[in-house]
Amino acid sequence: MFSVTDSADRGRAPNIRDVARLAGVSHQTVSRVINDHPSIRDSTKQRVLDVMGQLQYRPNRAARALVTHQSRTLGVLASQRSQYGPSSIIQSIETAAQDAGYMVSTANIASTDEESIVAALDHLNAQAIDGLVIIAPQVRVFRAISNLDLRVPFVAMNTSEGTDEHAIGVDQVAGARLATRHLIELGHRHIYHLAGPQDWMEAEARMRGFLEEMNAQDVRTTAPILGDWSADFGYHAGRELMRVRDFTAIFSSNDQMALGLIHAIRDSGHEVPRDVSIVGFDDIPEAAHFWPPLTTVRQDFPELGRRCVAQLLGEMANSPIGSTARIQPELIVRTSTGAPSF
């Protein structure tokens, strides 16, 4: 009589034939249950699933891929995951993929040259991925990828506007306009923009949104300051700006630089928002606990992950869901903004 402990006693993991023997069915039947074949009776399917649970049996994905021509694995090609936005996108994709019954394999591009990109793609293709998500926030990386022959269905996190059927993302321009409009409606007319790195598509889109809203409201603009996303840069930029004091508000392109700005303003003997109002972007988990709590623009990363995976699965099934509208961000108003004092 076969027992649950037999395979463990033999010093190996249970296999499909162990499941079949304990469930009293053929190994072909177990295979059909694993692959969700419609011809299996519900009672038989449940018996096999119960045995799989008893044995803690996990189907061999490589073997399954040979039979079904599907690895149930999605690839993510990422050129940057140290920043909050890209890392949150990857996490949201992993959650949505798991809910859909897929694993995720992520390849990080070591550098921005084409050779590194090709090597990362080769790594993912070696795992027989069924589809690919491209997270390439830098312009030069996205352009390099767009010139390659991608052999699997794919979607791209692309914040630029256009009609690319593979692109999906959050409306960064709209988010920047929300932040800028909020400051203008509070009465600010001397507003600086601390932008992100010039090569990042998100930074360019947020800068464009700031300039569009300032022009639409007929408010004089100054040249944006190009930063590097870090709190250190925000601090040093803030120290320099506080020597000038020809502004009452700053829209920062991300929350980390906004944190540095707040620190610099306080170190100069001034207060936020009494002397300077600050708005960030991203709503990182710590933003509500800055002092003062940060007014910022929130991106719905879970929804972004769900839409991304849904669009990719549609591409894989040859039934694309079509171009989806940009996800709209939300302005989160906290106490780092107020009416100007002069």
Side-chain angles (χ1 to χ4, degrees):
M1 181 70 178
F2 182 82
S3 71
V4 172
T5 59
D6 281 349
S7 61
D9 292 341
R10 291 195 293 271
R12 63 169 177 81
N15 59 37
I16 194 171
R17 294 186 183 276
D18 296 332
V19 175
R21 189 178 304 115
L22 189 58
V25 298
S26 68
H27 71 272
Q28 291 93 339
T29 297
V30 176
S31 179
R32 292 189 185 100
V33 170
I34 292 171
N35 293 302
D36 201 22
H37 198 281
S39 67
I40 303 298
R41 288 184 297 180
D42 289 343
S43 59
T44 302
K45 179 178 180 179
Q46 190 58 54
R47 187 162 76 252
V48 171
L49 292 174
D50 289 343
V51 170
M52 289 172 62
Q54 276 185 276
L55 297 180
Q56 296 184 335
Y57 170 72
R58 298 292 181 269
N60 186 307
R61 286 182 174 267
R64 181 178 179 180
L66 290 175
V67 176
T68 64
H69 303 291
Q70 290 185 328
S71 66
R72 305 292 292 183
T73 300
L74 305 180
V76 173
L77 184 69
S79 67
Q80 171 65 254
R81 68 177 303 165
S82 62
Q83 298 298 328
Y84 176 73
S87 66
S88 298
I89 292 171
I90 292 172
Q91 183 178 2
S92 70
I93 289 170
E94 289 172 343
T95 300
Q98 184 177 8
D99 291 343
Y102 283 80
M103 294 181 65
V104 172
S105 178
T106 302
N108 296 303
I109 301 171
S111 65
T112 57
D113 60 89
E114 188 168 322
E115 183 179 351
S116 297
I117 295 170
V118 171
L121 284 171
D122 287 344
H123 172 74
L124 292 173
N125 286 327
Q127 300 174 58
I129 58 172
D130 298 327
L132 176 67
V133 180
I134 300 169
I135 304 174
Q138 293 129 318
V139 175
R140 62 185 181 277
V141 177
F142 195 83
R143 285 175 178 167
I145 291 172
S146 66
N147 292 327
L148 298 177
D149 180 21
L150 300 177
R151 301 178 182 178
V152 294
F154 71 94
V155 296
M157 294 294 175
N158 182 0
T159 62
S160 63
E161 294 179 351
T163 58
D164 186 349
E165 62 183 6
H166 298 288
I168 190 169
V170 175
D171 193 334
Q172 306 289 321
V173 172
R177 294 193 69 157
L178 283 174
T180 308
R181 188 179 309 135
H182 172 65
L183 292 172
I184 294 171
E185 288 176 348
L186 286 172
H188 293 279
R189 294 297 181 271
H190 305 283
I191 306 169
Y192 273 48
H193 176 45
L194 181 53
Q198 189 173 17
D199 191 46
W200 280 63
M201 289 184 285
E202 286 88 348
E204 191 278 334
R206 294 170 194 176
M207 184 192 304
R208 183 152 51 90
F210 166 76
L211 294 173
E212 286 181 5
E213 188 62 29
M214 292 285 279
N215 290 333
Q217 301 276 2
D218 197 26
V219 178
R220 182 180 61 86
T221 61
T222 58
I225 303 163
L226 300 182
D228 66 2
W229 297 131
S230 73
D232 279 346
F233 187 94
Y235 178 79
H236 292 298
R239 293 288 288 180
E240 291 298 317
L241 288 172
M242 292 308 292
R243 293 189 176 98
V244 180
R245 283 302 316 277
D246 60 349
F247 59 93
T248 61
I250 304 174
F251 164 41
S252 172
S253 195
N254 78 335
D255 291 347
Q256 285 91 346
M257 291 193 297
L259 175 61
L261 286 170
I262 292 172
H263 184 188
I265 292 165
R266 293 178 67 89
D267 271 6
S268 69
H270 297 83
E271 294 294 332
V272 176
R274 185 192 67 195
D275 302 305
V276 182
S277 286
I278 302 291
V279 180
F281 203 109
D282 282 335
D283 194 26
I284 62 175
E286 299 82 6
H289 305 287
F290 287 7
W291 189 251
L294 184 65
T295 295
T296 185
V297 177
R298 177 182 294 167
Q299 303 186 73
D300 191 343
F301 290 117
E303 176 64 15
L304 183 59
R306 285 190 291 270
R307 289 198 195 183
C308 176
V309 171
Q311 186 163 325
L312 183 56
L313 295 183
E315 294 280 345
M316 289 159 48
N318 292 319
S319 57
I321 60 178
S323 180
T324 56
R326 297 283 171 179
I327 296 172
Q328 294 302 303
E330 177 186 5
L331 180 69
I332 306 299
V333 178
R334 300 191 178 103
T335 55
S336 69
T337 53
S341 57
F342 68 89

